[in-house]
């Protein structure tokens, strides 16, 4: 499909363009329109076929309802079963503007538009171009944000082009969206009224008219497994750039320290004005620290900047108050609820030891004591699934180390990588940054889940300096060789010969003991718990 691009600067001068967009919409087409919040993907809300085109263009799940955009409060009566008595005052105060109100729908609104719900969300945008296009279309317009489902919402026509070119009839470019985060969504279809999505109209502003307004749990937290979403949109992955995002709380000074420790290849930072120079990774400023409107305006554009090749990013995050609540809510979702606190970073314990010494048993003890366990060996396997790592490995060791299904032939890679010390060094140079990045993400997740600390359980920990740098304490688990021999023969169902060979290929106990702060003795006659407790308490035993 050819997507026509209309640049609309002035609604009176560009009248013919407005009429053209209106006509396309009247005829069942899909047009991206600018609003004061974000760009919307508009179609006739009362025309099922037209609305289905929106879902197709976005790749949006059919049960996620659309907001119906009107040109004034007087257009709402036809769309709802009955006007809620609290609605007129809300419209009077906040319309046109970034407030969406949900009420029971009338039969006029097709089920496709309401995602099968018996309610409808209505909003009257204040952007002059949006307003003019709704009037020119002469029908209410269903319009979700004009991004591919799951991506950050578009606040500039170029964002819409990136996501929608070739998928829709037309893009009306009305410049950059002033507010930058989507409208506040409240429902009057239940009592007490509920805030489903924070936006430019803040809870404080609403409370004057809706003193009993409550905030839906989904504003601050992930939906619990099996729970029903008050707003279906909250079920889905949201606002996600291709990079993995972590919110970073804390002072600038501590944020810089945190990023210096956790950053590295592929990492970027989103920060406040005047801060970019302080970080040792690429940093994008998205607004002024105590100016929530500026942060709202810049946040989605900044998230989209990460799509230029970054794999992860730490984001300086405002307090969830006023318009800051909307910014925080969007960032929280883009980060899949990972929040790290640079002022009080979580303690990280590195746990290692030779095979068969019982690291897993000790790990389980830490877990039972409130620690979050990071399986380093698993992350090492995960890291070689990334395209960049696979490409680098293929370049180093030959294209035939990649299997037909695109996965890594681990044995072949190991044979070649361990053929010489130089080759092994290259393996580490390629894989360690990726393993480290995954580990940092897990550490942030551990903190988000309020774990007491994080334990990195990894056999090869001591051979991975960048991971060692993430650890606050290092502990090893050791056990007598003959007991380890017995354990691994049973555990891995191998012969005693094989087990012996495996053990002799490993470092002696002293290698682990001399390179760690704590030793946990885990022989058959030992009780390892007092040693593990010393790690927790910080009582070094050497
Ligand atoms: O600012 C905005 O609201 C933008 C511009 C284009 O107007 N639109 C927008 O639409 O953000 P969308 O579809 O991206 O987000 C609408 C949210 C979704 O989370 C959806 O689930 C929720 O509102 N929603 C819509 N109708 C609903 C209903 N009847 N009941 C509950 N939630 C509803
Ligand atoms: Mg959206």
């Amino acid at each position: 499909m050819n997507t026509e691009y209309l640049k609309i600067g002035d609604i009176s001068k560009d009248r013919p363009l407005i009429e053209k967009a209106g006509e396309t919409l009247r005829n069942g087409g899909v047009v991206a329109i600018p609003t004061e919040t974000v760009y919307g993907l508009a179609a006739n809300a009362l025309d099922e076929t037209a609305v289905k085109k929106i879902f197709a263009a976005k790749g949006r799940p059919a049960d996620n309802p659309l907001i119906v955009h009107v040109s004034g409060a007087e257009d709402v009566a036809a769309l709802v079963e009955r006007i809620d008595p609290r609605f007129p005052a809300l419209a009077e105060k906040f319309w046109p503007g970034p407030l969406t109100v949900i009420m029971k729908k009338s039969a006029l609104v097709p089920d496709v538009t309401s995602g099968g719900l018996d309610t409808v969300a209505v909003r009257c945008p204040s952007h002059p171009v949006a307003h003019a296009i709704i009037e020119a279309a002469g029908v209410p317009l269903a319009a979700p944000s004009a991004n591919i489902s799951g991506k950050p919402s578009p606040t500039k026509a170029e964002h819409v082009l990136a996501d929608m070119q070739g998928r829709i009839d037309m893009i009306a470019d009305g410049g950059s969206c002033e507010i930058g985060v989507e409208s506040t969504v409240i429902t009057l279809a239940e009592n007490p009224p509920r805030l489903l999505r924070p936006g430019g109209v803040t809870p404080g502003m609403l409370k004057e008219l809706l003193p009993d307004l409550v905030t839906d749990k989904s504003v601050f937290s992930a939906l619990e497994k099996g729970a029903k979403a008050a707003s279906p949109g909250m079920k889905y992955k949201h606002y996600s750039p291709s990079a993995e995002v972590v919110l970073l709380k804390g002072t600038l000074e501590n944020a810089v320290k945190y990023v210096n420790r956790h950053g590295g290849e592929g990492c970027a930072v989103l920060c406040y004005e005047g801060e970019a120079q302080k970080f040792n990774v690429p940093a994008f400023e998205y607004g002024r620290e105590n100016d929530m409107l500026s942060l709202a305006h810049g946040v989605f554009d900044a998230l989209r900047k990460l799509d230029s090749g970054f794999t992860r990013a730490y984001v300086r995050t405002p307090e969830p108050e006023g318009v800051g609540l909307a910014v925080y809510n969007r960032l929280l979702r883009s980060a899949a609820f990972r929040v790290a606190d640079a002022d009080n970073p979580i303690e990280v314990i590195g746990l290692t030891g030779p095979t068969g010494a019982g690291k897993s048993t000790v790990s389980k003890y830490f877990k039972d004591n409130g620690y979050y366990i990071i399986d380093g060996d698993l992350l090492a396997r995960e890291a070689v699934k990334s395209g960049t790592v696979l490409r680098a490995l293929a370049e180093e060791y030959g294209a035939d180390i990649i299997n037909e299904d695109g996965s890594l032939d681990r044995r072949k890679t190991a044979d070649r990588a361990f053929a010489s010390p130089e080759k092994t060094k290259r393996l580490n140079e390629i894989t360690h940054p990726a393993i480290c990045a995954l580990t940092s993400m897990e550490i942030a997740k551990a903190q988000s889940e309020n774990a007491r600390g994080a334990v990195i359980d990894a056999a090869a920990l001591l051979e991975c300096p960048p991971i060692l740098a993430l650890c606050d304490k290092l502990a090893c688990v050791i056990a007598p060789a003959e007991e380890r021999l017995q354990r691994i023969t049973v555990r891995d169902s191998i012969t005693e010969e094989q087990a012996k060979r495996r053990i002799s290929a490993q470092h002696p106990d002293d290698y682990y003991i001399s390179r760690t702060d704590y030793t946990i003795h885990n022989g058959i006659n030992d009780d390892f718990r007092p040693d593990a407790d010393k790690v927790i308490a910080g009582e070094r035993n050497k």
Side-chain angles (χ1 to χ4, degrees):
M1 182 189 292
N2 177 38
T3 302
E4 203 172 333
Y5 174 85
L6 315 177
K7 170 96 195 151
I8 305 181
D10 180 311
I11 52 164
S12 49
K13 270 204 238 119
D14 293 324
R15 199 72 232 164
L17 299 181
I18 302 267
E19 289 303 332
K20 195 168 182 184
E23 193 188 329
T24 304
L25 288 161
R26 238 188 348 268
N27 292 334
V30 177
V31 179
I33 60 168
T35 84
E36 72 280 20
T37 57
V38 301
Y39 274 78
L41 207 54
N44 180 354
L46 309 180
D47 175 349
E48 277 188 33
T49 318
V51 170
K52 281 187 181 153
K53 291 183 194 164
I54 298 181
F55 282 93
K58 274 182 70 88
R60 179 167 172 125
D63 68 350
N64 193 359
L66 307 181
I67 296 173
V68 178
H69 296 65
V70 295
S71 68
E74 61 285 359
D75 297 344
V76 171
L79 303 171
V80 298
E81 191 181 82
R82 108 192 146 92
I83 294 273
D84 186 284
R86 294 162 293 189
F87 172 73
L90 286 165
E92 177 70 32
K93 183 159 179 196
F94 298 111
W95 279 14
L99 177 68
T100 295
V101 182
I102 295 171
M103 288 177 270
K104 283 266 183 305
K105 80 176 186 73
S106 73
L108 194 64
V109 180
D111 285 345
V112 194
T113 305
S114 68
L117 299 178
D118 62 354
T119 52
V120 64
V122 289
R123 140 163 156 82
C124 174
S126 67
H127 196 294
V129 175
H131 187 82
I133 291 179
I134 301 170
E135 294 232 292
V139 288
L141 298 180
S145 50
N147 50 282
I148 296 280
S149 214
K151 290 265 145 208
S153 298
T155 54
K156 294 177 173 172
E158 67 197 64
H159 301 157
V160 183
L161 274 168
D163 280 14
M164 291 296 157
Q165 194 154 33
R167 293 170 166 264
I168 57 173
D169 295 290
M170 208 174 260
I171 295 176
D173 178 353
S176 120
C177 301
E178 194 186 330
I179 297 178
V181 289
E182 310 89 332
S183 61
T184 303
V185 178
I186 59 169
T187 178
L188 300 181
E190 54 181 271
N191 262 318
R194 185 184 292 268
L195 173 75
L196 301 182
R197 180 175 76 182
V201 173
T202 64
M205 291 154 83
L206 286 163
K207 286 238 157 109
E208 278 177 41
L209 292 176
L210 300 173
D212 54 346
L213 182 74
V214 293
T215 299
D216 195 69
K217 269 209 314 223
S218 67
V219 169
F220 285 107
S221 53
L223 196 66
E224 280 158 29
K225 272 211 177 84
K228 188 168 170 287
S231 183
M234 293 306 174
K235 279 193 302 213
Y236 300 106
K237 185 171 172 226
H238 241 110
Y239 316 119
S240 310
S242 46
E244 300 272 348
V245 173
V246 174
L247 301 200
L248 193 54
K249 296 203 291 195
T251 62
L252 171 62
E253 196 189 343
N254 289 332
V256 169
K257 268 194 218 148
Y258 193 97
V259 172
N260 283 348
R261 194 171 190 190
H262 288 261
E265 228 172 85
C267 183
V269 166
L270 304 188
C271 60
Y272 304 138
E273 216 171 274
E275 297 181 351
Q277 299 297 327
K278 304 229 190 292
F279 292 92
N280 66 359
V281 298
F284 304 99
E285 298 173 350
Y286 73 101
R288 290 173 295 279
E289 178 159 16
N290 291 312
D291 177 352
M292 297 308 149
L293 289 174
S294 76
L295 294 173
H297 179 76
V299 66
F300 283 136
D301 187 46
L303 283 173
R304 279 182 178 258
K305 284 191 178 131
L306 298 174
D307 285 345
S308 56
F310 296 100
T311 52
R312 61 197 174 110
Y314 292 95
V315 183
R316 296 262 283 137
T317 306
E319 287 299 315
E321 279 149 27
V323 177
L325 176 62
V327 179
Y328 185 88
N329 164 272
R330 305 309 190 273
L331 285 172
L332 193 62
R333 283 167 186 282
S334 79
F337 300 93
R338 271 181 306 236
V339 185
D341 184 353
D343 290 347
N344 301 290
I346 189 170
E347 181 178 72
V348 179
I349 299 171
L351 189 67
T352 190
T355 183
K359 266 190 309 103
S360 315
T361 314
V362 176
S363 264
K364 164 113 190 1
Y365 181 73
F366 279 110
K367 185 165 184 230
D368 294 342
N369 278 281
Y371 284 79
Y372 180 104
I373 309 303
I374 300 172
D375 183 338
D377 303 333
L378 189 80
L379 294 187
R381 283 200 293 278
E382 203 53 42
V384 295
K385 288 184 187 157
S386 112
T388 351
V389 173
L390 278 176
R391 274 191 297 279
L393 289 174
E395 202 166 298
E396 186 68 34
Y397 304 114
D400 62 326
I401 61 161
I402 312 285
N403 294 318
E404 253 170 37
D405 63 1
S407 66
L408 185 73
D409 183 331
R410 297 169 56 82
R411 167 143 306 160
K412 217 180 252 176
T413 311
D415 284 348
R416 294 180 194 174
F418 296 124
S420 74
E422 292 79 60
K423 290 266 173 203
T424 311
K425 185 163 164 261
R426 279 298 294 143
L427 177 72
N428 292 341
E429 282 167 359
I430 294 167
T431 57
H432 284 177
I435 302 171
C436 218
L438 292 174
T439 307
S440 286
M441 289 296 127
E442 284 290 287
I443 291 172
K445 193 157 167 243
Q447 185 156 40
S448 316
E449 293 182 5
N450 293 318
R452 181 172 180 187
V455 173
I456 306 174
D457 172 343
L461 185 71
L462 298 172
E463 285 80 60
C464 188
I467 304 251
L468 289 178
L470 297 175
C471 297
D472 302 303
K473 292 173 179 168
L474 291 178
C476 68
V477 183
I478 54 158
E482 56 284 7
E483 288 173 24
R484 289 168 46 212
L485 189 74
Q486 239 191 350
R487 282 181 190 157
I488 68 168
T489 322
V490 175
R491 185 189 70 189
D492 302 340
S493 342
I494 49 177
T495 63
E496 204 179 305
E497 265 323 293
Q498 287 169 314
K500 266 191 188 148
R501 236 178 295 136
R502 227 187 254 182
I503 284 184
S504 65
Q506 299 231 315
H507 296 290
D509 285 354
D510 196 48
Y511 172 87
Y512 297 97
I513 296 170
S514 65
R515 285 169 175 77
T516 54
D517 317 311
Y518 303 85
T519 300
I520 301 170
H521 299 272
N522 188 29
I524 292 168
N525 297 319
D526 298 316
D527 177 2
F528 70 84
R529 288 169 299 187
D531 283 345
D533 290 338
K534 285 193 179 125
V535 180
I536 295 174
E539 293 161 19
R540 291 173 71 135
N541 57 1
K542 51 184 126 166

